[in-house]
Amino acid sequence: MFDTSIDCARQLDEKDPLKNFRQQFLIPAINGKQQIYFLGNSLGLQPVRTKTYLQQELDKWQNYGVEAFFMGEQPWLHYHDQLITPLSKIVGAHPHEVVVMNQLTVNLHLLLVSFYRPQGKRIKIICEAKAFPSDQYMLETQVKHHGLNPAEVIVEVSPRNGENTIRLEDIQQTIEQHKDELALVFFGGINYYTGQVFDMKAITKAGHDAGAKVGFDLAHAAGNISLQLHNWDVDFASWCTYKYLNSGPGAISGAYIHERFHNDTSVPRFAGWWGYEKETRFLMQKGFKPTPTAEGWQLSTPSALLYAAHKAALEIFEEAGWEKMEVKRNLLNDYVWFLLEDINSRQSEKVIEFLTPRQPRNCQVSLYMLKYGKTFFNALSDAGVMVDWREPNCIRLAPVPLYNTFEEVWQFANILQQILQQQVQHA
Ligand SMILES: *Cc1c(COP(=O)(O)O)cnc(C)c1O
């Protein structure tokens, strides 16, 4: 269904039911030249409406002062209610299992206070090797906080020698092997570097079978792939909203806590007044009484400005519809593979190794450049194609369904094609 012509790319764009959603975003332009932005996995683009939504909250602040918590069309006190329904669809949870609060690493610490409870022999944590640094530091310092030694407690599952990604069977086996000492299994939903999608359902089952709690960092998964946190029986999760969820730099984060814990008094937590039972919060009484939902994990007064930016972004997800986004995401991803494998196949030696597995698909593709890596990256920059470069030779790109086009993917491949032709001419 694909060929390598630019006409094919243009036809795919023409037939794309989401093609108009690009106009809902502000595309970066450098020196007047619109960029090809493949960094939605790092900082999603700004929705056009975000400015208006922020302005509305500034106006409320201006007009009502503190009374804006209670007055106007969307009083700040109830603003959160509008966010959790669209968000719960994105992560596959009940609305009352979702809370919008804080930032990702902060939330992970708070969730580990509740769900990492080392006791007796059960002290170990199983996680992925080479997790995002913040997650590593979070685990390390949580373990130390309990007076334990990270080197003894944290068990990392690595790819096998000569392989780039981690096999599910190795995760399951590691869990089985440590099952009598296991307190927690904590993984990313998608590895930030390799783009590997982990089988969260199977990992959750293996962790539970071993008597451990299971949680996920969904920074690269939320707004990217389908999630079924509740049905997979995941205990807890958190994500940032500035990557695929387009809610702005340092945007407010989200967390999921399975409903079975909401009224479980054996699960400890660090509390603040914003998690107190809503009806009686402002009586300011002694003794913490949690809201009996995920909101009971909130601590502090949230920012209406961050809520507004998040709402602007979530609305676009609702309008586009998740199913259409999935179809386009997969098609974009297949198209990247088609064009790059075609290039590989026409060289005497491969130029690209895919770090990201072919399946299951997600927006991100991580490429290990066997040749011409830096040349390619520089040519991309010169042509206004924004991708991520990781030493020594990794290019990560993430065409996203809401604002990227097939023609942009074609341009990316075409730049590599041109470099290869030049190399031949120079040889
Ligand atoms: C982006 C990312 C983070 C960032 O955490 P913040 O607290 O939002 O700065 C953490 N973990 C993973 C896996 C990420 O991809």
Side-chain angles (χ1 to χ4, degrees):
M1 78 174 153
F2 300 135
D3 65 52
T4 58
S5 71
I6 191 167
D7 287 345
C8 172
R10 288 179 177 156
Q11 275 165 25
L12 288 163
D13 283 324
E14 198 43 52
K15 281 186 293 191
D16 169 16
L18 296 180
K19 65 183 169 197
N20 292 330
F21 278 87
R22 183 174 165 85
Q23 290 157 22
Q24 301 280 347
F25 290 88
L26 300 168
I27 313 287
I30 298 179
N31 298 328
K33 183 173 165 37
Q34 203 175 62
Q35 304 290 292
I36 294 180
Y37 192 79
F38 286 140
L39 290 171
N41 58 337
S42 186
L43 178 66
L45 290 183
Q46 182 183 150
V48 173
R49 71 186 78 173
T50 301
K51 223 171 255 174
T52 312
Y53 285 29
L54 288 174
Q55 189 61 50
Q56 282 169 358
E57 301 317 310
L58 291 172
D59 292 347
K60 281 184 338 211
W61 183 17
Q62 175 181 346
N63 295 332
Y64 304 117
V66 71
E67 295 298 327
F69 274 99
F70 313 100
M71 290 176 63
E73 253 178 62
Q74 300 166 346
W76 292 337
L77 197 58
H78 305 297
Y79 205 106
H80 187 268
D81 298 348
Q82 311 172 58
L83 305 175
I84 53 179
T85 300
L87 197 53
S88 66
K89 291 187 216 161
I90 290 171
V91 300
H94 295 303
H96 62 268
E97 293 175 311
V98 170
V99 58
V100 175
M101 61 178 186
N102 311 317
Q103 287 173 301
L104 172 54
T105 310
V106 173
N107 282 339
L108 293 175
H109 274 297
L110 293 173
L111 290 166
L112 259 72
V113 164
S114 294
F115 298 109
Y116 177 55
R117 306 293 303 157
Q119 254 151 17
K121 273 201 320 176
R122 271 196 187 273
I123 58 174
K124 288 197 173 165
I125 299 175
I126 289 181
C127 65
E128 73 206 270
K130 298 194 179 154
F132 191 84
S134 204
D135 299 47
Q136 295 184 33
Y137 309 148
M138 181 277 293
L139 291 177
E140 174 192 332
T141 54
Q142 281 282 333
V143 167
K144 285 183 176 163
H145 171 73
H146 287 283
L148 299 167
N149 178 358
E152 288 165 16
V153 165
I154 300 174
V155 180
E156 295 184 346
V157 189
S158 300
R160 294 187 186 181
N161 272 343
E163 297 184 4
N164 295 318
T165 49
I166 304 171
R167 294 192 194 196
L168 175 63
E169 62 197 274
D170 291 351
I171 300 170
Q172 289 165 324
Q173 236 163 43
T174 310
I175 290 172
E176 170 68 19
Q177 190 188 332
H178 293 276
K179 66 170 189 256
D180 298 331
E181 305 159 317
L182 196 58
L184 174 68
V185 177
F186 180 76
F187 261 73
I190 296 180
N191 181 276
Y192 79 100
Y193 178 74
T194 63
Q196 178 180 14
V197 180
F198 291 109
D199 186 337
M200 288 172 257
K201 184 180 180 190
I203 293 172
T204 303
K205 178 166 190 315
H208 284 170
D209 287 349
K213 293 283 190 297
V214 183
F216 293 95
D217 179 331
L218 302 175
H220 282 264
N224 176 2
I225 56 168
S226 272
L227 298 164
Q228 288 296 329
L229 297 179
H230 179 86
N231 289 341
W232 295 339
D233 208 29
V234 171
D235 294 312
F236 68 93
S238 185
W239 53 88
C240 53
T241 66
Y242 49 80
K243 292 174 180 166
Y244 294 102
L245 290 171
N246 307 323
S247 302
I252 197 161
S253 161
Y256 152 91
I257 298 147
H258 193 286
E259 63 186 1
R260 67 175 153 266
F261 302 113
H262 295 177
N263 290 302
D264 182 346
T265 51
S266 74
V267 175
R269 69 180 93 183
F270 285 170
W273 77 316
W274 218 260
Y276 196 89
E277 188 184 69
K278 280 188 195 169
E279 298 73 28
T280 52
R281 181 187 296 158
F282 293 100
L283 298 178
M284 314 292 219
Q285 280 167 340
K286 208 170 174 55
F288 179 67
K289 219 194 273 177
T291 296
T293 69
E295 289 179 54
W297 270 260
Q298 293 174 108
L299 276 72
S300 292
T301 315
S303 160
L305 298 174
L306 296 182
Y307 274 172
H310 196 26
K311 183 180 170 212
L314 290 175
E315 276 183 1
I316 301 177
F317 274 72
E318 288 274 290
E319 289 160 14
W322 184 253
E323 273 157 34
K324 282 191 196 138
M325 289 180 58
E326 281 222 291
V327 170
K328 180 170 173 192
R329 179 203 64 213
N330 288 341
L331 207 56
L332 279 167
N333 186 275
D334 288 343
Y335 190 51
V336 172
W337 277 79
F338 170 79
L339 292 176
L340 298 184
E341 283 192 322
D342 176 72
I343 290 178
N344 256 346
S345 72
R346 284 189 283 110
Q347 304 297 311
S348 52
E349 283 167 50
K350 269 207 309 194
V351 283
I352 299 166
E353 184 171 312
F354 290 85
L355 294 180
T356 310
R358 184 76 187 84
Q359 298 280 355
R361 291 165 288 193
N362 83 108
C363 291
Q364 182 176 325
V365 184
S366 302
L367 307 170
Y368 192 84
M369 300 302 299
L370 300 168
K371 283 195 256 184
Y372 316 127
K374 218 43 217 250
T375 313
F376 182 31
F377 180 71
N378 291 337
L380 288 168
S381 305
D382 291 346
V385 183
M386 297 170 75
V387 295
D388 175 83
W389 173 262
R390 297 268 150 166
E391 292 297 339
N393 268 310
C394 179
I395 288 175
R396 299 186 304 168
L397 72 157
V400 301
L402 285 177
Y403 50 78
N404 285 121
T405 66
F406 292 89
E407 189 169 337
E408 289 177 322
V409 172
W410 186 89
Q411 295 290 359
F412 175 88
N414 189 49
I415 289 167
L416 179 57
Q417 184 63 47
Q418 280 171 1
I419 289 172
L420 294 171
Q421 267 158 14
Q422 281 159 16
Q423 300 297 332
V424 173
Q425 279 156 18
H426 291 171

